[in-house]
Amino acid sequence: HAGGNPGTGQGYTANFSTGGTYAFSPNLVADAHFGYVRMYTDVAHTDIGQNKGMDLLGIPGLNGTRAFEGGMPVFLFNTFQSLGITELYMPYTRNDDQYQSVANVNWMKGKHNVRFGTDIYVQAMNHIQPELSGGVNFGARGGFRFGGGPTQLSGGPSGNLYNAWGSFLLGLPDLLGRLHLAVAPYTTRQRSYSFYVRDQWQMTNRLTFSYGTRYEYFPIPTRADRGLERYNPETNMMEIGGVGSVPKDLGVKMEKGLFAPRVGLTFRASPSMVLRAGFGITNDPYSLSRPMRTNHPVLLNLTVPAPNAFSWAGRTADGVPSIADPDLGNGVIPIPSVITAFTIPQDFNRGYIKSWNAAVQKELKWGFVGEAVYVATRQIDQFGYRELNWSPIGGGQPGRQLVQRFGRSAQTLLVTNIGDSKYDALQTRLDRRFANGFQIGVGYTLSKSVGIAGAPNSDNTARIQIPEFYHLNTAISPFDRTHNLQITNLTELPVGPGRRWLSGGGALAAIVGGWQVNNILSFTSGTPFDITASGTSLNAPGSAQRADQVKSDVDILGGIGRGNAYFDPFAFAPVIEARFGTAPWGAMRGPGYANWDLGVFRQLTLPRNMNLQVRFEAFNVLDTAHFNNPGGNVSNLQLNPDGSVRNLNGFSEVTAAFGERQLRIGMRLGW
């Protein structure tokens, strides 16, 4: 099962809502709403319940006695495709409830339209899923990671993918471990409260001014029967909320001054032109239930690292150490040094987003409307993880901060603010609304997004964790696309009853009438990607290594496929010294793409108010290649003695594509 394992799944969504509106007077109206939603999913891999690690491979410590611990363990490699069940979050059963209560009052007085109200939201998670929200893990089945260090010469050339494969053949992983779910199902309960007031003031017939504010409070989440858990970095102990002398809220002070003001202006400069501008602050609503849901001792993440960059963590044949269920005791319990832990600050402050925009909209000739908007956002103190157990350059495992204090070698992640991000864009549109059987829209965006390297991703963990080098994480966002052009079109053929031609009907009108053609054309720039290098010489667990950029200008060669470089491979070099490389994160940008989606529809009218729609859809009609970004690990590059390329080994090579042509034919009967 290389690269994944097929599975099966089932699920349902159930919801209930009720609400009403009451008019005290024509100018004073109140409304209220209550809603409930349950989302249930149950997804599993096909070999669930089969202990292939212990029974088939004979490796001790893998799998377990419960069905969700069954399946093939994972073997991770540097560059090579992983083996086993690589979807480490599998399997999962999620039974999640959401409750929402909303009440609003709308009061109109003269030129003012005042609206105020409240929104109370409750989220409940009930999961059976051995998944870690952040950090390195090997899933419920356990596994091993093979790096180049154990087969690399200390002080010699930088390691590459063949060093990693050699470590695998020798059975010498540089990291091993397993997830153990001690509580099944585990639960979280998250509540949020918000209140708002807004006034829409019609200052003149041409000018409208809107202003208001929102207040929000996010208490710390809990479990269904007690509080969450928190690692105390001062005592090296876990504190269990609501057990013994530990308060249910863990003594964490949540910020209470979360006001979010907003203002907006609309000015009708002429009958055909409108100007708009606005500014607002939004509190980051990110729920702590996600990063704190699988903390110790609910989920035990055992990870055994190698003592240094050139050594190994153990032998594959010896397997993974056993994991025992912990006792909650008096609420303050020890944690093994090899078990991952999460924590949050005693004073927790939420980040926020500042947004502003200015727009001009103009009605043009022939039914067209044009708009140009400047949009900007500034995310302040984005949420993510900071590694408390970082190591300095050259420090290795002995240099980790908590190793030195407590002998603690495992990841210890602080859920906190990791940095800022910003986005600026010119967004333009040209639209012609549907008329006379024709509609077209053209949208173009010129934008730039800068944030923290490593975020956003599934973990929101910055690539470099050493505080004095943390500023190196500022980079172009991985989703950034400088240019984005979208063209949409809908055309009804002007043939048949009610149309320009053959409106009187007849056999020919029945055959060629009623057809509709839809088009979507997309043209976008490529996304940034990193040029990395082996981190063996860096020897700083918790931080990633960048390559050296040895040419100021990098030529784009445009090669596609094995043996063909997309960019100049000699523009970068491995780092064999104890320092970070000079190539910034997101140093290169991959291929852009063009795409055409086409839809052809025919609507037929049937007796008894029935209709039949025949649909033909083609995604990527021309089967244009959409290439993934090339490989960026310079340490994989192999050179001949004369300095020429012997083997690119994936570096600078584009070896995958996406979005192949898909054709779909369907029918829809309505009555």
Side-chain angles (χ1 to χ4, degrees):
H1 300 286
N5 204 29
T8 60
Q10 58 182 343
Y12 66 84
T13 300
N15 63 79
F16 165 81
S17 64
T18 183
T21 302
Y22 183 79
F24 295 94
S25 70
N27 295 330
L28 184 62
V29 179
D31 62 87
H33 172 83
F34 172 79
Y36 164 75
V37 176
R38 165 166 287 183
M39 296 183 62
Y40 175 83
T41 54
D42 185 12
V43 180
H45 44 283
T46 54
D47 55 359
I48 185 172
Q50 304 176 38
N51 290 341
K52 293 185 175 180
M54 290 191 301
D55 299 341
L56 179 64
L57 301 179
I59 302 177
L62 300 178
N63 301 115
T65 59
R66 295 170 292 185
F68 63 78
E69 297 170 320
M72 181 68 75
V74 67
F75 298 84
L76 305 176
F77 302 94
N78 178 12
T79 302
F80 287 118
Q81 179 66 56
S82 299
L83 302 176
I85 299 176
T86 57
E87 294 81 6
L88 301 178
Y89 57 84
M90 292 281 282
Y92 59 87
T93 300
R94 300 174 181 171
N95 196 356
D96 298 340
D97 298 327
Q98 301 179 52
Y99 307 84
Q100 186 174 25
S101 301
V102 179
N104 304 286
V105 175
N106 204 86
W107 177 46
M108 298 183 66
K109 179 69 173 178
K111 295 184 177 182
H112 295 268
N113 183 344
V114 179
R115 186 171 177 85
F116 58 91
T118 182
D119 186 350
I120 301 174
Y121 195 41
V122 180
Q123 296 173 298
M125 293 197 302
N126 308 281
H127 291 184
I128 300 177
Q129 181 177 13
E131 179 194 27
L132 194 70
S133 300
V136 177
N137 73 92
F138 293 93
R141 294 150 295 279
F144 309 87
R145 187 187 72 186
F146 299 92
T151 58
Q152 186 177 334
L153 181 64
S154 179
S158 177
N160 56 39
L161 69 171
Y162 296 112
N163 290 103
W165 187 250
S167 299
F168 168 68
L169 295 178
L170 293 174
L172 301 176
D174 64 358
L175 189 71
L176 57 90
R178 185 171 75 87
L179 282 181
H180 175 65
L181 186 58
V183 178
Y186 55 84
T187 62
T188 65
R189 300 293 185 266
Q190 170 71 58
R191 295 169 175 82
S192 62
Y193 306 90
S194 65
F195 309 89
Y196 78 95
V197 58
R198 182 227 66 193
D199 178 20
Q200 189 177 68
W201 180 14
Q202 188 73 42
M203 301 178 69
T204 70
N205 291 334
R206 301 169 64 184
L207 179 63
T208 302
F209 177 47
S210 297
Y211 59 98
T213 189
R214 185 180 182 94
Y215 173 77
E216 296 174 301
Y217 176 59
F218 303 88
I220 187 171
T222 65
R223 302 212 179 270
D225 56 346
R226 58 171 177 81
L228 294 175
E229 309 81 22
R230 173 183 178 271
Y231 173 78
N232 190 330
E234 300 301 322
T235 63
N236 193 37
M237 303 287 280
M238 292 297 300
E239 298 171 353
I240 315 301
V243 177
S245 61
V246 181
K248 192 173 183 179
D249 64 0
L250 297 169
V252 175
K253 298 178 181 179
M254 305 298 290
E255 188 176 6
K256 294 183 178 180
L258 298 177
F259 288 95
R262 299 184 183 185
V263 295
L265 280 171
T266 301
F267 177 66
R268 184 172 293 278
S270 70
S272 63
M273 179 183 291
V274 177
L275 306 178
R276 297 185 179 90
F279 172 83
I281 292 178
T282 303
N283 296 308
D284 191 337
Y286 186 71
S287 173
L288 290 176
S289 293
R290 175 66 184 177
M292 300 295 291
R293 68 185 182 128
T294 51
N295 205 359
H296 179 80
V298 170
L299 184 76
L300 287 71
N301 179 35
L302 170 70
T303 55
V304 180
N308 58 66
F310 295 97
S311 188
W312 49 90
R315 297 193 314 144
T316 305
D318 296 333
V320 176
S322 60
I323 307 174
D325 288 337
D327 184 354
L328 299 185
N330 65 352
V332 180
I333 62 174
I335 178 172
S337 63
V338 292
I339 296 293
T340 298
F342 296 86
T343 189
I344 56 177
Q346 284 294 110
D347 292 309
F348 190 87
N349 295 317
R350 283 189 171 267
Y352 61 95
I353 301 99
K354 296 189 295 185
S355 305
W356 61 93
N357 61 75
V360 55
Q361 188 177 40
K362 172 70 174 175
E363 185 176 356
L364 306 173
K365 294 182 178 181
W366 306 302
F368 283 91
V369 175
E371 183 179 46
V373 188
Y374 168 64
V375 176
T377 61
R378 300 293 185 267
Q379 185 168 10
I380 311 300
D381 291 334
Q382 178 182 355
F383 275 147
Y385 299 104
R386 294 288 292 265
E387 174 61 80
L388 294 180
N389 205 10
W390 55 271
S391 178
I393 294 176
Q397 288 295 332
R400 283 186 178 269
Q401 302 303 295
L402 299 179
V403 168
Q404 297 182 47
R405 294 185 60 190
F406 307 114
R408 175 172 172 75
S409 60
Q411 279 193 313
T412 308
L413 298 174
L414 175 68
V415 182
T416 186
N417 312 121
I418 63 171
D420 304 337
S421 65
K422 63 179 182 178
Y423 171 81
D424 294 276
L426 172 63
Q427 301 176 357
T428 61
R429 293 192 311 168
L430 180 64
D431 295 320
R432 183 186 186 275
R433 295 181 179 178
F434 187 79
N436 300 320
F438 180 74
Q439 173 184 315
I440 188 170
V442 180
Y444 169 73
T445 299
L446 173 67
S447 64
K448 183 178 182 180
S449 177
V450 177
I452 301 299
N457 60 15
S458 59
D459 298 337
N460 272 8
T461 305
R463 303 212 189 283
I464 297 175
Q465 291 293 323
I466 305 172
E468 63 182 296
F469 296 102
Y470 199 82
H471 64 279
L472 298 178
N473 287 306
T474 300
I476 299 293
S477 301
F479 56 80
D480 180 79
R481 294 187 185 272
T482 305
H483 303 283
N484 188 346
L485 175 63
Q486 303 288 325
I487 304 173
T488 62
N489 163 254
L490 185 153
T491 303
E492 287 186 347
L493 297 185
V495 178
R499 302 291 192 269
R500 182 175 181 181
W501 294 306
L502 300 180
S503 59
L508 183 59
I511 295 174
V512 301
W515 288 96
Q516 175 182 304
V517 180
N518 302 336
N519 295 280
I520 301 177
L521 299 173
S522 303
F523 306 89
T524 70
S525 301
T527 55
F529 64 95
D530 302 325
I531 305 297
T532 61
S534 170
T536 305
S537 62
L538 182 68
N539 200 16
S543 296
Q545 176 61 295
R546 315 185 302 180
D548 272 341
Q549 185 167 344
V550 295
K551 292 184 179 181
S552 57
D553 296 323
V554 183
D555 292 332
I556 303 299
L557 307 178
I560 300 296
R562 290 291 184 185
N564 301 305
Y566 180 77
F567 60 87
D568 181 5
F570 296 107
F572 301 93
V575 182
I576 58 175
E577 300 168 336
R579 60 173 176 82
F580 285 108
T582 60
W585 301 115
M588 296 296 298
R589 193 176 290 270
Y593 73 86
N595 186 77
W596 176 22
D597 295 335
L598 171 68
V600 180
F601 302 80
R602 173 75 187 278
Q603 188 86 6
L604 301 174
T605 301
L606 303 178
R608 299 182 181 272
N609 295 322
M610 300 175 64
N611 62 79
L612 178 66
Q613 186 182 75
V614 181
R615 309 163 62 100
F616 170 77
E617 296 169 302
F619 302 93
N620 191 6
V621 177
L622 302 179
D623 203 19
T624 306
H626 303 158
F627 295 112
N628 289 351
N629 289 342
N633 190 339
V634 69
S635 295
N636 291 336
L637 176 65
Q638 285 187 316
L639 301 178
N640 293 311
D642 62 358
S644 60
V645 174
R646 177 184 175 188
N647 194 340
L648 291 172
N649 277 332
F651 178 61
S652 77
E653 293 179 325
V654 175
T655 58
F658 65 96
E660 66 276 5
R661 179 168 55 201
Q662 298 182 34
L663 304 178
R664 185 165 62 189
I665 300 175
M667 300 179 68
R668 180 180 182 273
L669 179 64
W671 65 91

